[in-house]
Amino acid sequence: MSVVIIIPARHASSRYPGKPLVDLRGAGGEARSLIRRSWDAASAVSGADRVVIATDDARIQEHAEGFGAEVVMTSEQCRNGTERCAEAIANLGISPEIVVNLQGDAPLTPAWFVEDLVAGLRADPQAGVATPVLRCSGKMRADLIADRMAGRVGGTTAVFGADKQALYFSKEVLPYAAGTFGDDEDSPVFHHVGVYAYRPDALASYAEWGEGPLERLEGLEQLRFLERGRRLLCVEVEARGRQFWELNNPEDVPRLEAMMQEMGID
């Protein structure tokens, strides 16, 4: 098996309990749950051999199996999606070439984000993990800054070197840039897209390491790789006219629904 997509989903979110089962209404008026829309996004990826939802909650399991998804149960002790993916692969008893973690709060993830990510990891044999980054327009950067000023986590930003190796990720808007940018102007800020592609050995190692201090402070699972000195490749992806946002807070529901209306996503 070449590529397996795992969608980790838990009910007990500290910021938004029950988030995977929250309905999002599309352009055609149909309401589908967040986890269903994330599964739809994963199912549209070309080259994926299998899509599996990994959860520790029977309510999510029942709902997901109801719309035809494959589900694997994992323990409540998983601290983040990467740990849940590692346990899911172990429980499934499979060893694919690449494991993709498409987090269950990113239903607007275009298929080409994942396809480009897998291609990027395959092209860099030194990297054990890769993640997509999207250059922010002036408007997107302003939205991220507005969320932080309001005390909300609106997204994660990525900073990387000339070799595309990640230097840092933060819920603050990095790097700092003086001045403003037009709504459609490119900014120097890159939005981290919540998807990961791992080689199985890197995923297995991650599950054995303890949580690092930066990971704990920021609440960002990918920092565990950086704190352990592991190469994490940032793959720049193109929006191609698509808007992108994760569902982090209840306030994001109308924002995502408005984006789906504008893009004609049912």
Side-chain angles (χ1 to χ4, degrees):
M1 189 169 292
S2 181
V3 178
V4 173
I5 299 177
I6 305 292
I7 306 174
R10 65 190 182 104
H11 196 277
S13 169
S14 57
R15 277 185 286 161
Y16 198 168
K19 183 170 65 171
L21 301 180
V22 169
D23 278 339
L24 294 171
R25 196 169 298 278
E30 181 181 355
R32 295 183 188 173
S33 66
L34 174 63
I35 191 65
R36 169 66 186 273
R37 290 192 178 277
S38 298
W39 181 78
D40 288 342
S43 299
V45 175
S46 176
D49 300 288
R50 195 169 176 181
V51 177
V52 183
I53 293 172
T55 187
D56 58 7
D57 191 275
R59 289 163 291 187
I60 295 173
Q61 178 189 24
E62 181 180 4
H63 174 71
E65 289 179 343
F67 59 74
E70 179 182 0
V71 179
V72 60
M73 296 302 291
T74 51
S75 71
E76 295 180 356
Q77 281 66 50
C78 294
R79 287 171 289 191
N80 57 48
T82 300
E83 288 190 2
R84 198 171 302 282
C85 284
E87 186 175 317
I89 291 298
N91 289 351
L92 289 167
I94 58 176
S95 183
E97 175 201 359
I98 291 174
V99 179
V100 173
N101 170 357
L102 194 154
Q103 301 193 67
D105 59 4
L108 300 186
T109 305
W112 64 85
F113 279 20
V114 182
E115 293 159 5
D116 290 352
L117 177 65
V118 169
L121 184 59
R122 281 178 169 152
D124 187 343
Q126 300 304 312
V129 58
T131 194
V133 293
L134 178 65
R135 185 182 289 275
C136 290
S137 65
K139 183 181 185 306
M140 192 172 192
R141 173 179 176 269
D143 286 345
L144 290 170
I145 292 171
D147 273 340
R148 293 306 297 127
M149 291 181 67
R152 296 188 298 268
V153 177
T156 298
T157 58
V159 180
F160 50 89
D163 60 355
K164 303 299 183 181
Q165 181 169 339
L167 300 174
Y168 197 62
F169 297 88
S170 182
K171 290 178 179 176
E172 296 294 345
V173 183
L174 300 178
Y176 166 77
T180 58
F181 299 84
D183 281 358
D184 296 323
E185 185 181 358
D186 283 346
S187 84
V189 173
F190 282 85
H191 186 181
H192 173 237
V193 179
V195 184
Y196 303 93
Y198 321 94
R199 291 195 165 89
D201 60 331
L203 185 58
S205 295
Y206 182 97
E208 296 172 357
W209 299 328
E211 183 183 45
L214 292 175
E215 175 190 0
R216 188 178 306 112
L217 286 168
E218 290 267 12
L220 295 174
E221 63 201 271
Q222 67 270 33
L223 290 176
R224 194 181 305 185
F225 286 109
L226 300 188
E227 292 187 82
R228 293 284 179 161
R230 296 295 293 264
R231 179 177 173 85
L232 196 163
L233 179 69
C234 289
V235 177
E236 186 174 354
V237 293
E238 296 181 356
R240 302 184 194 174
R242 282 283 295 271
Q243 300 180 67
F244 177 82
W245 201 265
E246 299 106 344
L247 202 161
N248 295 300
N249 310 285
E251 296 88 347
D252 291 322
V253 171
R255 177 181 283 173
L256 264 70
E257 289 181 333
M259 287 180 175
M260 289 190 289
Q261 289 281 342
E262 292 177 23
M263 293 185 288
I265 297 174
D266 291 334

